[in-house]
Amino acid sequence: MNRKDLLGLFDLSAEEIWKILSLGLEYKAALKGGEKNFGQLRGKSAVILFYENSTRTRTSFELAAKLLGAHVINISVATSSVQKGETLIDTGKTLDAMLHDFLIIRHPMGGAPKLLAETVKAHVVNGGDGMTEHPTQALLDMLTLREHFGRIEGLKVAILGDIRHSRVAKSNLYGLGKLGAEVRMFAPKTLMPEGLEREGAVICSSREEAIAGADAVMGLRIQLERQKAGNFPSLGEYAKYYGISEEVLRLAPNALILHPGPVNRGVELTSGVIDGENSRIEDQVLSGVAVRMAVLTLLDRGTLS
Ligand code: CP
């Protein structure tokens, strides 16, 4: 059956992920070649409904939809009727009544995009829900890796940082695992949830074990806004004992450096690593535009299955 929505990578097959990545690679090549005029969504409309802050995801979804020719409406939750107590379902029904083609949502509650998708006729795309999934971030990470290495299968990808609060880590674990990569994870015990080994993660007991011989090293942001209690003594101590530095990267001198952003400079990664020659953090941003164009196109065509 063709998918109406993109809610997460947990439910996607390897074939579906490859379909998105293949089209994403075509779009990225075209964007790099200067193409800015794609007509696949001409006459369609997309609403961007973000209940949490965002720079990269919001902007790249907007750009992706506009490059494809769609009309785009940004709803600022801070000035919408959400502030008067309107529920997510009622907001969804209202937008659906305007016959929009896409609702792109970010929400602090895990499962909110699914609830919306069950309510509306429009295609729903998850731009990040709580600590659950951020599928297009993982897709753009995979696109960046596939473009550089020419493959995903057999790659060793080390993910370090605030894994407990990270939807990016979970979507990458599901996606990379389905495509045959080894996903290593390391975090302070207070920032490592139970059970990810059952999803295929290799849980490491030190950052050195995670990084040694890795093809790619992904740092995750310390999500101070989701932490009620301190999970480590100070940011300085986090950087010293858990951060990714030039020194520790000697264990994987050719590893690509990824980070979903925004980065806490000097905490999860040193500035030298962020700006170093192996860093692909800026390239990830263009991958994000391309992969989001691919998702919107495939959902519109009804060929994501
Ligand atoms: N990677 C990511 O989700 O960044 P934003 O919060 O800026 O969208």
Side-chain angles (χ1 to χ4, degrees), residues 78-136:
T79 55
S80 74
S81 289
V82 170
Q83 298 305 325
K84 300 178 192 165
E86 188 169 61
T87 66
L88 175 61
I89 288 180
D90 285 339
T91 300
K93 283 181 175 167
T94 302
L95 296 172
D96 219 28
M98 298 177 197
L99 305 177
H100 291 296
D101 300 285
F102 294 94
L103 301 183
I104 301 161
I105 179 173
R106 170 171 286 190
H107 202 285
M109 188 183 83
K114 184 167 188 288
L115 187 66
L116 184 65
E118 288 165 358
T119 307
V120 299
K121 294 191 190 71
H123 301 289
V124 173
V125 184
N126 182 1
D129 62 326
M131 298 187 282
T132 307
E133 284 231 36
H134 191 348
T136 57

Side-chain angles (χ1 to χ4, degrees), residues 50 53-58 106 127 134 137 140 167-168 221 259-262 292:
F50 274 30
N53 296 339
S54 168
T55 298
R56 279 146 284 268
T57 312
R58 175 191 280 277
R106 170 171 286 190
H134 191 348
Q137 176 65 46
L140 78 86
R167 50 198 178 207
V168 176
R221 186 170 68 87
H259 192 296
R292 289 173 177 123

Side-chain angles (χ1 to χ4, degrees), residues 129-208:
D129 62 326
M131 298 187 282
T132 307
E133 284 231 36
H134 191 348
T136 57
Q137 176 65 46
L139 287 164
L140 78 86
D141 295 333
M142 290 188 276
L143 186 81
T144 306
L145 292 171
R146 165 64 183 75
E147 193 182 20
H148 180 83
F149 291 103
R151 66 188 167 94
I152 300 284
E153 191 170 9
L155 294 181
K156 298 181 184 71
V157 181
I159 303 179
L160 296 91
D162 186 352
I163 291 170
R164 176 181 297 281
H165 299 97
S166 177
R167 50 198 178 207
V168 176
K170 283 137 206 164
S171 287
N172 265 297
L173 176 58
Y174 306 141
L176 285 165
K178 284 175 191 192
L179 301 192
E182 177 182 304
V183 182
R184 304 172 180 178
M185 291 185 156
F186 174 68
K189 277 198 170 52
T190 49
L191 294 178
M192 177 64 84
E194 297 280 314
L196 291 184
E197 64 282 3
R198 289 196 291 278
E199 304 294 342
V202 177
I203 307 297
C204 298
S205 51
S206 69
R207 67 181 162 182
E208 287 75 10

